[in-house]
Amino acid sequence: MEYKKSPALEFEISPIALGCMSLKGSLKADKKIIDTAISGGINFLDTADLYQKGLNEEIVGTTIKDKRNDIILATKVGNQLSADGNGWDWNPRKDYILKAVEQSLMRLQTDYIDIYQLHGGTLEDPWDETLEAFEILKSQGKIRAFGISSIRPNVIRKVLGMSSPATIMMQYNPLDRRPEEAAFPLIAEANTRVLVRGAFAKGLLIDKPADTFLDYSASEVKQIRELIADSGLLPEAFLIRFGLIQPAVGSLVIGASSVEQVEKIILAYQQQTMISDKLIEEISAKIPLNQYLQHR
């Protein structure tokens, strides 16, 4: 894979990241998935303290322990496990972030995190102290860069006006083109880059039964899937190219729960390099643009 160096990062990331949320929770099975991704050129793993109540981080940490310096590791913070262990409370406070990072570092068996991301965010959050926490962790060498996860243009606009996050994670695919209206133009002008989640639209544009998605009906989803299939392209290859063609995008975070899925993702990445920008534009022109109705 051709690695990219985003403007706000001191290191290169693969254009595809393995989204570890889809891992099974079994060290033996998940190690095979992660190792297959790394062997295929993926150097970027994305996890979160929220996933499987920390087990996900533990599995990732154990798997990459002997190759840590070759891996770009991203995790997330902001969801605090409730006292009874049965739920999560949103907590973007400085004191919590500074404590939570220590737990993530321990589970990941590392002394630094490459990209530490706030796992959400609203306008009402205490952004001054949240961003201060990330800067403190950078100065301490515990994180190399920080980012946020948000689909809200008003939140993105506020954060970019206050700081320079390295990354912003958001959903983007042919069924959710909302970022094209405001978020992508804002981010493209900054040193920040987008980490795309949901690039495969829950498999609805590949092989899952047609269902509703945002404001699309099941029949409309089916029509768009057929439009992509009629191009003769591997659907995964089209969807990867659809995301990477955007100047604001740094990497697509794609989940996998089997070795076979990882292998197909890697094959699709190789095939997408042969897809022309013109073909993507022609197909995109036939898919209606949806827009944010809230949080503008």
Side-chain angles (χ1 to χ4, degrees):
M1 290 191 180
E2 183 180 351
Y3 292 179
K4 294 183 176 183
K5 186 173 182 180
S6 296
L9 295 177
E10 298 176 354
F11 44 85
E12 294 181 330
I13 58 175
S14 50
I16 304 296
L18 179 65
C20 295
M21 184 176 71
S22 300
L23 297 179
K24 295 176 174 295
S26 161
L27 178 59
K28 184 178 180 180
D30 292 342
K31 184 178 186 302
K32 291 180 180 178
I33 293 170
I34 295 171
D35 286 344
T36 301
I38 295 171
S39 297
I42 294 173
N43 78 335
F44 186 12
L45 306 181
D46 178 80
T47 180
D49 58 3
L50 174 69
Y51 302 157
Q52 297 157 318
K53 298 182 179 180
L55 176 62
N56 200 278
E57 285 186 329
E58 291 178 7
I59 289 173
V60 171
T62 299
T63 301
I64 68 168
K65 182 170 55 177
D66 297 331
K67 52 180 81 76
R68 175 66 184 94
N69 292 337
D70 299 323
I71 300 299
I72 302 303
L73 184 57
T75 190
K76 309 181 193 72
V77 66
N79 292 286
Q80 183 175 10
L81 186 65
S82 56
D84 62 8
N86 291 322
W88 301 85
D89 298 312
W90 179 240
N91 190 348
R93 295 271 174 195
K94 171 184 169 183
D95 59 347
Y96 174 67
I97 292 173
L98 296 180
K99 285 192 301 183
V101 73
E102 302 297 339
Q103 297 301 310
S104 284
L105 288 169
M106 181 178 66
R107 288 189 291 263
L108 291 164
Q109 301 182 54
T110 184
D111 55 5
Y112 69 97
I113 294 163
D114 295 295
I115 306 176
Y116 201 36
Q117 305 161 93
L118 187 68
H119 206 170
T122 69
L123 280 181
E124 293 72 34
D125 286 338
W127 285 104
D128 284 335
E129 64 175 277
T130 299
L131 296 171
E132 182 187 3
F134 288 134
E135 292 297 344
I136 289 171
L137 293 176
K138 281 181 68 176
S139 69
Q140 294 174 340
K142 293 178 181 177
I143 68 173
R144 297 174 71 188
F146 71 88
I148 67 170
S149 179
S150 179
I151 63 171
R152 302 179 177 190
N154 56 5
V155 170
I156 293 168
R157 195 176 295 112
K158 180 172 184 174
V159 173
L160 288 178
M162 298 175 67
S163 184
S164 297
T167 60
I168 299 179
M169 181 175 283
M170 66 185 67
Q171 178 169 270
Y172 180 64
N173 58 61
L175 298 179
D176 186 0
R177 298 177 63 188
R178 294 174 298 174
E180 292 181 29
E181 180 193 5
F184 280 176
L186 274 172
I187 295 167
E189 293 178 0
N191 286 332
T192 304
R193 286 298 175 263
V194 173
L195 301 181
V196 169
R197 61 175 176 82
F200 286 178
K202 300 180 179 179
L204 293 176
L205 297 178
I206 301 174
D207 56 7
K208 294 287 177 65
D211 199 355
T212 58
F213 192 99
L214 294 179
D215 50 353
Y216 287 102
S217 67
S219 62
E220 289 171 327
V221 168
K222 184 179 179 183
Q223 289 173 6
I224 294 172
R225 182 171 68 193
E226 290 173 349
L227 180 65
I228 295 170
D230 288 345
S231 70
L233 301 169
L234 185 71
E236 291 90 342
F238 172 86
L239 295 171
I240 288 173
R241 184 64 179 154
F242 182 87
L244 292 179
I245 199 174
Q246 290 290 338
V249 170
S251 185
L252 309 184
V253 180
I254 302 176
S257 58
S258 70
V259 167
E260 291 74 22
Q261 287 181 356
V262 176
E263 291 172 340
K264 194 166 188 180
I265 290 168
I266 293 168
L267 173 64
Y269 173 77
Q270 295 167 345
Q271 290 191 3
Q272 66 84 30
T273 60
M274 298 180 283
I275 300 174
S276 69
D277 292 357
K278 183 179 180 181
L279 180 57
I280 295 292
E281 291 165 2
E282 288 175 354
I283 296 176
S284 297
K286 300 175 183 178
I287 301 173
L289 269 172
N290 39 15
Q291 298 179 329
Y292 289 108
L293 301 179
Q294 298 176 318
H295 313 296
R296 295 178 62 86

